[in-house]
Amino acid sequence: MYQVFAPGRVELLGNHTDYNAGVVMSAALDLGTTVTGEASAGSRIRLRSAGFPEVIVDASEPLHPSGGWSDYPVGVIAKFIEAGYEVGGFEAEFSTNLPVGAGLSSSASIEVATAVLLCRMFDWEISPMDLARLCKKAENEFAGVNCGILDQVSCIFGKRQHAIFLDCRKESVQRVPFPEGVELLIVHSGVKHALTGGEYNERRDQCFEAARTLGVPALRDASTADLSHAGLSDVVRRRAAHITGENERVFAGLSALELGDLETFGRLLTASHMSSMENFENSTPELDSLVRIATSQPGVLGARLTGGGFGGAIIALVMAENIETAKVEILSKYLTDMEIDTDAYHCRMGDGAIPDA
Ligand code: GLA
């Protein structure tokens, strides 16, 4: 019997930069998906997850999406088969302690848990970055979500008390020690985030349109200063300004972390949220309310939406000694402001599924 844990992730800075060949800073969480599994004779695959009907597929027959949670593991199985790996029969049971619909990459954690389980069960040697690419392919082509590579990389490469700096053009990862004394508070807006809606793809298209108009391969190759006289429509210019601003904030955030300057790091988080509000328009009134409330609490260094946006959760960077009070205050003020009774999670930066990757 094999057991694999793959965490969820938070995006710290670098919103929607991954599919623009840009840079991102993220961290794996100490919450995630656990899968236990065992190989069996033949080609029958049984997948279980508490609260859902069992799913049975056959590795020797064509695999198709069903629209349910099993598209994530089955998509990974399909991509391994497509890449020429001999997937045999097995049984696997999944469980998660990640809040659903919070934008903390529960789907990537299921994909990565499945991929690592398969490698262990069938004794395959694959580089961690190739595993991330395969899981992303499963999400893009099987689950039908056009995401970048951020989520899968974060779930694999995370490290306890470290941020991950990912350069999406080079596909290179650097682990950056995160100073002690400041912790992460995740607050769910109570409004589910789902990337299957059209907004994510629309933003993606607007970014690609901006790069085409600017005559650059990707928005990674433009700076905020390049945008003012480029003949972009107002909407497309604001979308592009979010991406160029985010890339700039990620580099500034990296320097701040290296100097142990968490106040600056926190300010960058809040600036990122303001840009989501004004430029990228991927925030919601609920997320804005949470950020406003969080940033007015003592000991909160900064806050922003995390991940795709359009719902989900915010992250707040909070001094350790203030975190419990901040959590209670934010939840109660949010209940008054938005009439939403929600949950907050005090998380630590945890190990990825392959912590020594
Ligand atoms: C989602 C996607 C990622 C990334 C973020 C926004 O989490 O899955 O690839 O684009 O949104 O940064």
Side-chain angles (χ1 to χ4, degrees):
M1 182 76 86
Y2 294 87
Q3 186 170 75
V4 175
F5 173 78
R9 64 97 191 89
V10 281
E11 172 197 277
L12 294 169
L13 280 173
N15 192 235
H16 287 254
T17 52
D18 60 351
Y19 55 83
N20 289 298
V23 285
V24 200
M25 204 176 271
S26 65
L29 296 172
D30 55 359
L31 302 174
T33 301
T34 301
V35 59
T36 50
E38 195 164 29
S40 54
S43 54
R44 208 164 85 124
I45 298 170
R46 294 174 58 172
L47 304 170
R48 282 191 300 273
S49 175
F52 293 94
E54 180 177 86
V55 173
I56 299 182
V57 294
D58 196 305
S60 65
E61 288 168 12
L63 299 172
H64 302 292
S66 68
W69 75 275
S70 62
D71 283 356
Y72 301 110
V74 175
V76 169
I77 295 163
K79 291 299 150 189
F80 271 117
I81 295 174
E82 201 178 287
Y85 289 88
E86 274 188 39
V87 179
F90 70 94
E91 299 197 358
E93 173 133 21
F94 294 80
S95 64
T96 183
N97 56 4
L98 274 171
V100 177
L104 302 176
S105 289
S106 51
S107 54
S109 82
I110 299 174
E111 290 153 8
V112 167
T114 308
V116 175
L117 175 73
L118 288 173
C119 289
R120 300 228 175 112
M121 248 171 6
F122 299 121
D123 211 10
W124 301 330
E125 286 270 334
I126 307 171
S127 83
M129 192 54 86
D130 281 342
L131 271 192
R133 290 190 193 105
L134 186 137
C135 291
K136 171 181 179 280
K137 216 166 170 220
E139 177 119 16
N140 293 161
E141 296 171 11
F142 203 86
V145 178
N146 262 330
C147 63
I149 203 166
L150 163 70
D151 305 343
Q152 293 77 14
V153 163
S154 310
C155 297
I156 290 177
F157 287 87
K159 190 173 170 186
R160 184 181 300 252
Q161 201 56 38
H162 281 67
I164 299 157
F165 171 82
L166 164 67
D167 184 321
C168 301
R169 171 165 280 156
K170 296 190 199 145
E171 292 193 338
S172 65
V173 171
Q174 187 187 330
R175 293 175 173 111
V176 190
F178 204 86
E180 302 273 350
V182 170
E183 310 209 332
L184 283 177
L185 186 66
I186 297 174
V187 192
H188 200 321
S189 68
V191 178
K192 274 197 182 169
H193 140 107
L195 285 189
T196 38
E199 292 96 344
Y200 187 88
N201 287 343
E202 186 193 61
R203 295 298 183 279
R204 203 179 138 96
D205 290 344
Q206 289 166 333
C207 290
F208 294 165
E209 182 188 333
R212 266 196 311 277
T213 309
L214 289 162
V216 290
L219 278 180
R220 166 68 177 274
D221 306 297
S223 69
T224 305
D226 295 335
L227 305 178
S228 28
H229 303 292
L232 302 168
S233 70
D234 174 58
V235 170
V236 172
R237 187 195 51 76
R238 284 187 290 120
R239 304 297 188 248
H242 182 60
I243 305 304
T244 56
E246 283 294 277
N247 281 326
E248 288 153 14
R249 280 185 283 277
V250 170
F251 284 116
L254 181 61
S255 310
L257 277 193
E258 283 166 353
L259 293 170
D261 179 0
L262 284 169
E263 304 239 322
T264 299
F265 195 80
R267 274 196 295 274
L268 291 165
L269 255 66
T270 310
S272 164
H273 188 81
M274 295 305 138
S275 174
S276 272
M277 259 172 79
E278 287 154 19
N279 292 325
F280 216 62
E281 295 178 282
N282 61 333
S283 187
T284 62
E286 292 83 7
L287 292 167
D288 296 343
S289 160
L290 278 177
V291 167
R292 216 171 28 244
I293 296 168
T295 49
S296 58
Q297 301 306 310
V300 174
L301 303 179
R304 64 178 289 264
L305 65 81
T306 186
F310 311 108
I314 66 147
I315 49 165
L317 206 61
V318 193
M319 300 301 291
E321 62 270 26
N322 298 100
I323 197 152
E324 288 309 322
T325 320
K327 180 172 164 180
V328 173
E329 282 294 305
I330 294 168
L331 290 177
S332 103
K333 293 209 157 72
Y334 187 60
L335 181 58
T336 312
D337 193 16
M338 285 286 159
E339 295 180 2
I340 299 176
D341 193 1
T342 187
D343 289 314
Y345 309 84
H346 173 184
C347 291
R348 303 220 151 70
M349 295 182 182
D351 280 336
I354 313 180
D356 49 358

